[in-house]
Amino acid sequence: MLDMGILSSSVEFSLRMASVAAGQRFYEAMRAFRLRPGQFATLVLIGANPGVGQRGISETLRIDKANFTGLLNTLERRNLVERRADPGDHRRYALYLTREGKALLRKASRAYDRLEAGLAKLLPARVRRDFVANLRLIAE
Amino acid sequence: MLDMGILSSSVEFSLRMASVAAGQRFYEAMRAFRLRPGQFATLVLIGANPGVGQRGISETLRIDKANFTGLLNTLERRNLVERRADPGDHRRYALYLTREGKALLRKASRAYDRLEAGLAKLLPARVRRDFVANLRLIAE
DNA sequence: TATTGTTATACTCTATAACTATA
DNA sequence: TATAGTTATAGAGTATAACAATA
């Protein structure tokens, strides 16, 4: 094993490594649904906020709006998401899950819950709740 | 604010968002040194383990060895790192920091310490130590 | 003027396979 | 046969700027 030097007690480095490890678990859990992290999060947010605009989601997920266009195109081509013209503001699209989108989200969410359970098992029981709260403090 | 649904209590999602936020702080702190996360971590590891091989570092950082070649080339072109032929094993390079590499690492490490202090300030004092330990449990 | 969303582009990161040379 | 490192390539993520349409 190498001497990790300054990295061994680093929040920034440990966050990055933990995020990579969790990301690998994500890809395994979601491979069956062909959903990447940003795509899954988008489905969750549209499902919980029907009619939301692209800006609302892209800012929440910190995805640049220019890059979010392509992400949504992919989901729309798969008939998971629908852009509807917003009658009250013609610059805006109101986003909705299609029936297939809802069905896929239901199944993917169950897989996601199992993924989360697997991650939680790595942590001492007494810190599980606070751990997420602390992560959110860093995420602003 | 949007309803985050299942994501609001998710370890995987919160890790990713926190890692993105910490990464942005990293880029600000390290812009002056033109070091990206993998490059800085590589300098730290070579500095703490002179003579280490590429495999040792790339596995520790979970960077594919194929991608690590280019990362090292960049550091070598900047005269920060030196590949020396290993007399005991001719397949292998032994890696060392150059004098410039050591000097840059010293300065960058101070900036990194400030970055870490800024992140630590976001966390309640009583959890700071355990927080990194918990991250390391997830990183395997 | 400001906002929503699109297009284009470039750069980085990651994943994979095939390769050389040495052990 | 296995290991250390290289080359080539493609996919995905991210950052920036310019743009059209609408408010």
Side-chain angles (χ1 to χ4, degrees), chain A:
Chain A
M1 242 319 242
L2 295 186
D3 178 349
M4 306 283 287
I6 188 184
L7 300 178
S8 63
S9 61
S10 157
V11 171
E12 184 276 332
F13 178 76
S14 307
L15 260 177
R16 196 147 38 79
M17 297 305 276
S19 185
V20 167
Q24 280 167 351
R25 285 169 181 255
F26 180 94
Y27 279 98
E28 287 160 26
M30 293 298 174
R31 190 163 36 203
F33 309 108
R34 304 199 336 270
L35 290 175
R36 289 188 294 267
Q39 296 173 332
F40 175 72
T42 297
L43 292 182
V44 171
L45 290 184
I46 297 177
N49 306 274
V52 66
Q54 297 186 195
R55 190 173 174 244
I57 296 187
S58 64
E59 285 190 353
T60 299
L61 298 181
R62 287 174 173 69
I63 297 172
D64 191 281
K65 62 182 178 153
N67 299 320
F68 188 67
T69 295
L71 189 159
L72 251 193
N73 288 343
T74 303
L75 296 178
E76 209 175 26
R77 260 183 256 114
R78 289 178 62 185
N79 281 312
L80 301 174
V81 161
E82 195 185 353
R83 283 174 169 104
R84 290 190 207 154
D86 181 326
D89 183 344
H90 289 186
R91 296 171 302 185
R92 195 171 167 283
Y93 291 115
L95 302 176
Y96 295 91
L97 297 184
T98 63
R99 183 209 291 258
E100 290 106 307
K102 287 177 192 166
L104 185 69
L105 177 57
R106 251 192 310 275
K107 284 187 275 187
S109 294
R110 282 196 288 271
Y112 195 75
D113 287 341
R114 288 192 290 275
L115 156 70
E116 283 291 317
L119 289 175
K121 238 184 294 184
L122 300 175
L123 298 170
R126 61 178 176 76
V127 305
R128 278 173 204 164
R129 188 143 315 171
D130 282 351
F131 186 66
V132 170
N134 289 328
L135 288 173
R136 290 163 71 92
L137 290 175
I138 290 175
E140 281 136 296

Side-chain angles (χ1 to χ4, degrees), chain B residues 32-52:
Chain B
F33 310 108
R34 304 198 339 270
L35 290 174
R36 289 188 294 267
Q39 296 172 332
F40 175 72
T42 297
L43 292 183
V44 171
L45 290 183
I46 297 177
N49 305 273
V52 65

